[in-house]
């Protein structure tokens, strides 16, 4: 259930569906995404970390 909450929250905060699928280990069906889509990993990680902070606050989870 946490994967669903995480994915919904990230989508509502503007993260692309393709990135969410990639991070959750789903294989893209689209040929472009499967073979040519290469996101900038460094900015992607920073982007997700920023959004995670908001999710932590909403769920009342303290930082490790």
């Amino acid at each position: 259930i946490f994967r669903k909450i995480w994915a919904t929250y990230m989508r509502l905060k503007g993260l692309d569906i393709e990135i969410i699928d990639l991070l959750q280990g789903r294989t893209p069906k689209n040929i472009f995404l499967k073979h040519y889509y290469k996101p900038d990993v460094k900015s992607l990680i920073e982007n997700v970390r920023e959004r995670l902070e908001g999710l932590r606050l909403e769920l009342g989870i303290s930082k490790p």
Side-chain angles (χ1 to χ4, degrees), residues 1-63:
I1 191 163
F2 185 74
R3 284 172 54 103
K4 192 178 222 179
I5 292 169
W6 180 87
T8 301
Y9 182 85
M10 291 297 165
R11 185 66 193 126
L12 290 173
K13 295 300 178 182
L15 199 62
D16 293 334
I17 293 171
E18 294 83 12
I19 299 296
I20 293 169
D21 286 346
L22 177 70
L23 292 172
Q24 289 193 332
R26 294 190 198 109
T27 305
K29 293 178 176 92
N30 183 310
I31 296 295
F32 171 76
L33 294 175
K34 191 180 267 188
H35 298 287
Y36 302 106
Y37 184 64
K38 306 291 184 215
D40 177 24
V41 175
K42 190 173 185 177
S43 66
L44 171 64
I45 290 171
E46 186 59 37
N47 202 349
V48 171
R49 282 184 180 163
E50 289 171 6
R51 287 173 171 82
L52 275 177
E53 188 59 37
L55 181 58
R56 280 188 188 118
L57 290 173
E58 285 193 36
L59 294 175
I61 300 171
S62 62
K63 264 187 157 178

